[in-house]
Amino acid sequence: MMGKNFSCNNVNKCRRAADLYETPYSITRQLLEVEEFPKFVLEPACGNGAIVKILEEKGHTVESYDKVQDFLLEERMFPSVVTNPPYSFAFEFIQKSKIVAQEKFALLLPIAYLHGKQRFDRIWTDYTYPLARVYVFTRYPMLGDPLREDGCYRTGMMVYAWYVWEHGYKGSPEIHWLDNNKYVIGARKK
Ligand SMILES: C[S@@+](CC[C@H](N)C(=O)[O-])C[C@H]1O[C@@H](n2cnc3c(N)ncnc32)[C@H](O)[C@@H]1O
């Protein structure tokens, strides 16, 4: 299946070189506040290491690479995978993660990824390694800006969510919301 281009989240709608849209630190921190991962994690499309930094901050041991060792050719297994994948290969990253990640994996994807006939047939109706939880950000995070140490970001034009797959999970996927208002630059504070 050919991937779709979900990466036009910057104002001039240009695709960036090498699909590099860095994940603001707070986006990963908020995931780790609500979801537990095994100690050993693979970040297979690490870019400049934005997700790796936060995983390590939380005590995880992380193996990471970016293209040099193409994830789609990975032959080893890891307890878990966490990444913000290249969106044009989101489908391939999901299918590969089901082979590589023994316990669970989390991918940051647009919420629109939930629909689509082929995705329904080949991803959402897979009950062996099913989607367990979706964490939707209440405000649109802008990906592609330089990262800030405080984890804050401008709002963008696309709704993102963390999708968590868990091997052997039973039942329908749960949906949760992550309130990211405090990380939005210029947001009205409650
Ligand atoms: C959306 S960026 C995210 C980078 C990083 N995960 C982060 O969150 O900041 C996607 C990354 O995937 C990398 N990439 C693209 N195809 C890949 C492949 N087949 N294997 C590994 N990395 C790949 C790109 O070079 C890019 O750095």
Side-chain angles (χ1 to χ4, degrees), residues 49-67:
I51 292 177
V52 175
K53 173 183 156 91
I54 306 307
L55 285 165
E56 288 181 346
E57 181 184 285
K58 295 284 180 189
H60 292 279
T61 302
V62 185
E63 166 132 3
S64 63
Y65 53 79
D66 188 289
K67 272 197 173 163

Side-chain angles (χ1 to χ4, degrees), residues 17-24 28 43-51 65-73 82-89 93 108 143 147 162:
D19 248 339
L20 177 55
Y21 289 78
E22 292 191 88
T23 304
T28 309
E43 210 297 27
C46 67
N48 293 329
I51 292 177
Y65 53 79
D66 188 289
K67 272 197 173 163
V68 177
Q69 186 175 347
D70 191 324
F71 179 53
L72 303 178
L73 301 177
V82 178
T83 193
N84 168 5
Y87 300 123
S88 42
F89 289 101
F93 265 61
L108 185 71
L143 304 194
L147 298 186
W162 279 110

Side-chain angles (χ1 to χ4, degrees), residues 156-172:
M157 294 161 59
M158 201 175 289
V159 183
Y160 282 93
W162 279 110
Y163 293 65
V164 178
W165 283 259
E166 200 170 285
H167 195 268
Y169 176 82
K170 301 277 183 246
S172 299

Side-chain angles (χ1 to χ4, degrees), residues 148-183:
R148 292 168 49 128
E149 277 306 316
D150 63 6
C152 292
Y153 40 79
R154 298 187 294 158
T155 47
M157 294 161 59
M158 201 175 289
V159 183
Y160 282 93
W162 279 110
Y163 293 65
V164 178
W165 283 259
E166 200 170 285
H167 195 268
Y169 176 82
K170 301 277 183 246
S172 299
E174 294 175 0
I175 183 164
H176 300 269
W177 284 264
L178 294 176
D179 183 356
N180 58 340
N181 192 59
K182 69 180 175 185
Y183 294 110

